[in-house]
Amino acid sequence: MTSTVPKILIVGGGYAGFYTAWKLEKQLRKGEAEVTIVDPLPYMTYQPFLPEVAAGEIEARHVIVGLRRHLKKTRIITARVTGIDHANKVATITPDVGEGWEEAYDQIVVTAGAVSRTFPIPGIADNAIGLKTIEEAVAIRDRILTNFDQASNLPPGPDRDRLLSVVVVGGGFAGIEVFAEVRALASSLLKDYPQLRFEDTHFHLIEAMGRIMPEVSQKTSEWVLKDLAKRGANVHLDTQVTGAVGGNVELSTGEVIPTDLIIWTAGVMANPTVVRGSDLPVEERGRIRTRADLRVGTPEEVVEGAWAAGDVSAVPDLTGKGVGGYCVPNAQHAVRQAKLLAKNLTAVLRGELPKEYIHKNLGAVAGLGLYNGVFQSGDLALKGFVAWVAHRGYHGLAMPSWERKWRVIGDWWHNFWLTRDNVSLQTVQNPRYVFEEFAARPRPAAPEAVDAGAAKAPAAKAPAAKAAARTPAAKAAAAK
């Protein structure tokens, strides 16, 4: 028997996707709709905490929210959506293992998020690492710790300098936060490595514009630059990366920086796999055209049964503060859009009208290492310890569920008394290396013995020898 209950398909389990499903579970009546969420990862990552994970201040697993643990009424599919045929209301689901299939739906919510935006610069795709996933944050932390271990065994020179040099590309909030956090991590490690000095560590920030952090005022931006300079930062403004081959970062100024770690934070773009594989309307920057009420379409025309939110969508900013007239891609908008989307979708299912998304940005807050931060809201700017408290307070409360909040707060509390761990687990990426090194293996098979006389016989006589072996005399001799 075919179910007549409306099917809601959510594409993407990041901020917007998770919060949409979470709120729908609370707002939908029993049997009112069936909700399915599809994402290749079984968890949502709270990305504002990635710089602190990279600096070893928060345990990696504590900044991710398990979909199956927190979405009890939602069907979870760990796979990719590689096609959306909205004309027929089916989506193509492609798992990592097994055959794909087509999933029918009545309402689709596209919240596939964004990925790192890069440029065709030689070496970047092969040697740089982004900061969009928990795996990247952990890899950055372990690389720095491993490099310190290796550098402590080397004499001063180019090889040691390369290991102790970090290059961050991008001077937005993500770039500044990870730059400041890993700089603080490196400084804290020096007490455990008497062979190394502060002057041996080299941290470079590359920004193509003439200023950093466009989300804050020019005055606040300049304060951050001065604060970073006090901690040994080398900031290159109006500078672009032209190459990153062979462990050398080449700049448009002609300077070359040898490094073993390149962190790329120079912008994001809407998830191309989902956008290109759908028949939903797309605007010039590659995002799904979305109305202010979060339905897909334009102010004049609605694509019935399709919704979008978060970084993958181009939602009009009705406050007039958005870049190009649209909401900027950040967590603040994604979470609030998702909450309204759940309400609007529920309203439409009940024959009611949806409401428009209007949210005035509350401001911007960034952590700059332990006990240091910056906060900007309108003309109000806070700096230093007070801003750091505001940063931790805001994001601690914004972390979904009290179960996750307590885990993060516990990490902060333990590190306050015990300091952060300084051990690299980089080898976890190859966990079988010890087992493989000492595991017993079967001996290679011994070569078969070959009769010396037969081996010297000409190849042409081989058929005659076989025929002679089949004669009665030969058989009798063999029997003896």
Side-chain angles (χ1 to χ4, degrees):
M1 182 177 178
T2 304
S3 174
T4 59
V5 176
K7 293 179 171 59
I8 301 171
L9 180 65
I10 301 175
V11 182
Y15 286 118
F18 171 79
Y19 270 95
T20 298
W22 207 25
K23 296 303 177 182
L24 282 173
E25 287 193 346
K26 299 176 181 179
Q27 294 166 18
L28 290 171
R29 304 186 188 107
K30 185 176 181 180
E32 192 171 12
E34 295 177 358
V35 181
T36 299
I37 189 168
V38 184
D39 194 285
L41 298 174
Y43 53 82
M44 181 270 272
T45 302
Y46 191 76
Q47 293 180 350
F49 280 150
L50 291 183
E52 290 195 52
V53 172
E57 294 174 19
I58 303 178
E59 166 60 33
R61 290 182 184 271
H62 295 171
V63 305
I64 60 176
V65 182
L67 301 182
R68 298 183 190 278
R69 176 165 186 165
H70 294 277
L71 299 177
K72 297 300 185 181
K73 303 176 184 177
T74 301
R75 176 187 171 209
I76 311 296
I77 299 177
T78 306
R80 288 177 171 79
V81 172
T82 53
I84 298 174
D85 180 4
H86 190 65
N88 296 301
K89 291 195 173 181
V90 294
T92 302
I93 311 296
T94 306
D96 288 339
V97 179
E99 296 293 327
W101 71 93
E102 288 191 340
E103 185 82 13
Y105 62 83
D106 297 293
Q107 303 279 339
I108 190 167
V109 179
V110 184
T111 53
V115 298
S116 295
R117 180 191 64 183
T118 58
F119 308 101
I121 301 170
I124 288 296
D126 298 320
N127 301 313
I129 186 170
L131 192 66
K132 291 291 291 179
T133 68
I134 190 67
E135 293 84 359
E136 289 173 326
V138 172
I140 290 170
R141 173 185 180 274
D142 285 344
R143 175 72 67 84
I144 291 174
L145 294 173
T146 297
N147 285 359
F148 263 73
D149 286 334
Q150 294 176 348
S152 64
N153 296 325
L154 297 175
D159 290 339
R160 193 169 81 170
D161 288 343
R162 184 187 303 277
L163 290 170
L164 297 177
S165 296
V166 176
V167 173
V168 176
V169 184
F173 254 63
I176 293 299
E177 283 195 291
V178 71
F179 183 84
E181 291 287 359
V182 297
R183 170 69 269 186
L185 168 63
S187 297
S188 71
L189 291 175
L190 291 172
K191 67 181 184 302
D192 301 315
Y193 294 88
Q195 309 92 327
L196 305 177
R197 301 174 303 161
F198 180 85
E199 294 75 16
D200 296 327
T201 60
H202 313 284
F203 281 71
H204 298 264
L205 178 73
I206 316 300
E207 170 53 49
M209 297 175 58
R211 58 164 294 181
I212 61 171
M213 304 175 74
E215 302 90 341
V216 302
S217 68
Q218 181 71 35
K219 184 177 180 181
T220 302
S221 171
E222 292 173 354
W223 179 87
V224 174
L225 282 176
K226 292 178 181 177
D227 183 72
L228 292 176
K230 292 177 183 178
R231 289 185 276 167
N234 300 285
V235 180
H236 308 257
L237 299 179
D238 293 313
T239 305
Q240 296 177 335
V241 174
T242 59
V245 179
N248 293 307
V249 174
E250 301 173 9
L251 306 181
S252 56
T253 59
E255 185 177 355
V256 177
I257 305 172
T259 181
D260 192 56
L261 179 57
I262 306 168
I263 305 172
W264 184 274
T265 65
V268 297
M269 63 179 180
N271 189 318
T273 302
V274 173
V275 172
R276 294 170 187 169
S278 85
D279 57 357
L280 298 174
V282 179
E283 48 92 66
E284 57 275 6
R285 293 188 62 185
R287 298 172 296 180
I288 295 175
R289 288 192 180 277
T290 310
R291 294 159 48 93
D293 59 11
L294 303 177
R295 290 183 290 182
V296 174
T298 64
E300 298 77 26
E301 185 177 0
V302 178
V303 178
E304 294 294 342
W307 306 75
D311 294 357
V312 78
S313 64
V315 179
D317 190 337
L318 300 184
T319 67
K321 301 293 185 180
V323 178
Y326 296 101
C327 296
V328 296
N330 63 22
Q332 193 175 135
H333 280 305
V335 171
R336 285 167 174 77
Q337 287 171 8
K339 293 178 179 179
L340 178 63
L341 194 158
K343 291 180 180 179
N344 282 352
L345 206 166
T346 303
V348 168
L349 290 177
R350 296 172 182 172
E352 303 170 4
L353 294 176
K355 297 180 180 179
E356 293 185 330
Y357 175 75
I358 303 177
H359 172 67
K360 184 177 181 181
N361 199 317
L362 299 177
V365 61
L368 302 176
L370 280 175
Y371 314 124
N372 196 21
V374 62
F375 170 80
Q376 180 91 45
S377 180
D379 294 331
L380 174 64
L382 302 176
K383 309 177 187 71
F385 180 76
V386 174
W388 177 79
V389 172
H391 169 264
R392 286 207 162 175
Y394 173 79
H395 286 297
L397 292 174
M399 186 73 188
S401 85
W402 279 104
E403 180 261 336
R404 291 288 105 178
K405 286 180 173 65
W406 283 121
R407 291 181 187 273
V408 170
I409 293 171
D411 288 339
W412 289 337
W413 178 253
H414 293 148
N415 283 343
F416 176 77
W417 296 103
L418 307 175
T419 71
R420 53 187 140 198
D421 286 328
N422 63 352
V423 177
S424 170
L425 293 180
Q426 191 172 37
T427 51
V428 77
Q429 298 169 37
N430 180 26
R432 297 182 65 250
Y433 77 100
V434 174
F435 183 84
E436 288 179 333
E437 182 179 355
F438 298 102
R441 291 176 169 81
R443 293 179 179 274
E448 295 183 4
V450 180
D451 182 74
K456 296 179 180 179
K461 295 182 180 180
K466 291 182 179 179
R470 292 195 293 267
T471 64
K475 292 180 180 179
K480 294 179 181 180

